[in-house]
Structure formats: C-alpha cells, structure tokens
C-alpha cells in the first residue's frame, strides 16, 4: 500500500471521528453520548442522575383554602428507578423538609410553596445531599397539576449540581381539599428527580 493511500485512509478516519465527537453522534449511535461518557463535560448541562418514579407528599397543618392564611407545611418524597452515569450505585432515595416550616399567606393558588427551602436527600448508598430548592413553576395538563422546582446541591453527593424535581398531582384531589370545610390538609402525587452539572 502506498504512503499516499495510507495517509488518505488516516485522514478519512480522523474526519469521521471528529464529526462523531462534535455532533454527539446524533442519528448515528444509540446509548450514552460519546462526549459525556469518554471525553469529559461539554458546553451545556451534563445529566448526572435521574430518578424516573416515586411518590411525593405535602401536609398542611392548617387546611389550605382559596383565601390566603398561615399554615405549617411539611414535604417528603421517595424516589425509585434512579440511573446515573458510569454505573452509579444510586438506585433510590428519600428526601424531606426535616420538619414543618411556616408558610405565610398560603392559598390554593400557590401550593408550589410546599417543598421550597433546605432539604436533605438520603441515597440508598447511605450518602446524603443537602439541597436548597427555590424556583417553582406550575403548569396544568389535562387532569393534572405539575409543580417543577429547581434548586442547588449545597453539600454532600453531587455538590454544585442543579436539582430539578417534578411533582404531579391530580387536580381533582386539590379541588376536593381546597373547597372542603377544613381545607386541603394532605396532598399525594408522583415525583421525579434529576441532577445535572451546568
């Protein structure tokens, strides 16, 4: 084989490899992206962990109604089906507010305030992450109300990561509680959790 042909084959191989890396293998390979798995972080967020199922519970000491009032709020969640990068041993987790916190002037219009604040996630590996959950967004899709909360991992496992928790509740459960005589005292729904590095 001539030196010219050898060099030409190497050049083609280099071009194909470069295109695979810069394009992330879109439309070429299934499974994890090569850039994330082998070549390190890319521009943009990098998914570290996702827990695709679980249950969330919110409790209100004073029933929440359509009119604003003060109530102590507690929040807890149990996550399952967690999958992380590089064969992570994390498979499940529990989290909670660690006790009730006072929510001033809460009403059925702003139930997203449950779960806001500092929380500790305990992973099945006995490791912990301290989260500060802040920004909330509420959307209504058909018969469900979806609350998406974003926060930061302050310390522990995944320190510095962004945490996104999505809780889905039935609108009928919210309405039945809010318009009852005692107000909404308990709410249960489904939850997912993801951790990403910016």
């Amino acid at each position: 084989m001539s030196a010219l042909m050898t060099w030409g084959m190497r050049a083609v191989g280099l071009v194909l490899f470069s295109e695979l890396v810069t394009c992330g293998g879109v439309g070429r390979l299934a499974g994890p992206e090569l850039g994330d798995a082998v070549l390190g972080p890319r521009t943009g967020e990098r998914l570290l962990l996702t827990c695709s199922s679980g249950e969330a519970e919110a409790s209100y000491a004073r029933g929440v109604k359509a009119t604003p009032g003060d109530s102590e709020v507690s929040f807890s969640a149990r996550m399952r089906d967690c999958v992380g990068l590089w064969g992570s041993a994390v498979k499940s987790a529990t989290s909670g507010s660690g006790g009730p916190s006072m929510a001033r002037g809460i009403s059925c219009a702003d139930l997203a305030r449950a779960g806001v604040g500092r929380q500790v996630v305990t992973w099945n590996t006995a490791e912990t992450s301290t989260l500060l959950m802040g920004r909330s967004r509420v959307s209504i899709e058909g018969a469900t109300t979806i609350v998406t909360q974003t926060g930061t991992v302050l310390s522990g496992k995944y320190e510095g990561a962004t945490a996104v928790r999505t809780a889905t509740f039935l609108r009928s459960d919210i309405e039945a509680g809010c318009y009852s005589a005692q107000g909404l005292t308990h709410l249960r729904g489904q939850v997912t959790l993801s951790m990403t590095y910016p």
Side-chain angles (χ1 to χ4, degrees):
M1 184 178 294
S2 69
L4 183 58
M5 287 183 65
T6 303
W7 170 246
M9 292 175 67
R10 287 179 181 168
V12 170
L14 181 59
V15 168
L16 289 174
F17 178 74
S18 299
E19 188 170 330
L20 176 63
V21 171
T22 56
C23 294
V26 176
R28 294 176 176 83
L29 296 175
E33 291 187 354
L34 183 62
D36 289 339
V38 177
L39 302 177
R42 303 169 147 215
T43 303
E45 293 189 338
R46 180 169 51 125
L47 182 65
L48 296 174
L49 175 86
T50 180
C51 300
S52 59
S53 66
E55 295 81 34
E57 293 186 57
S59 299
Y60 308 89
R62 173 195 170 275
V64 180
K65 300 184 178 182
T67 54
D70 299 342
S71 181
E72 287 188 332
V73 179
S74 298
F75 180 86
S76 65
R78 294 174 297 281
M79 283 80 67
R80 300 183 305 276
D81 302 320
C82 301
V83 178
L85 290 180
W86 307 296
S88 171
V90 171
K91 304 300 178 189
S92 61
T94 59
S95 70
S97 52
S101 59
M102 181 60 71
R104 303 286 182 187
I106 190 171
S107 71
C108 288
D110 60 357
L111 294 176
R113 288 165 63 183
V116 171
R118 191 179 299 253
Q119 297 184 9
V120 175
V121 176
T122 302
W123 307 100
N124 64 289
T125 57
E127 299 167 289
T128 61
S129 300
T130 300
L131 279 56
L132 182 61
M133 301 304 290
R135 299 189 307 277
S136 295
R137 179 170 48 87
V138 178
S139 59
I140 295 175
E141 295 185 9
T144 62
T145 296
I146 301 171
V147 180
T148 303
Q149 293 175 316
T150 304
T152 302
V153 182
L154 298 177
S155 62
K157 192 172 185 66
Y158 307 119
E159 181 176 356
T162 297
V164 178
R165 183 176 58 218
T166 301
T168 303
F169 304 102
L170 290 176
R171 289 176 59 195
S172 57
D173 290 348
I174 296 173
E175 291 170 0
C178 287
Y179 295 108
S180 66
Q182 72 272 20
L184 180 67
T185 58
H186 190 80
L187 191 58
R188 180 177 296 169
Q190 301 301 307
V191 68
T192 63
L193 176 70
S194 66
M195 298 283 187
T196 59
Y197 273 141

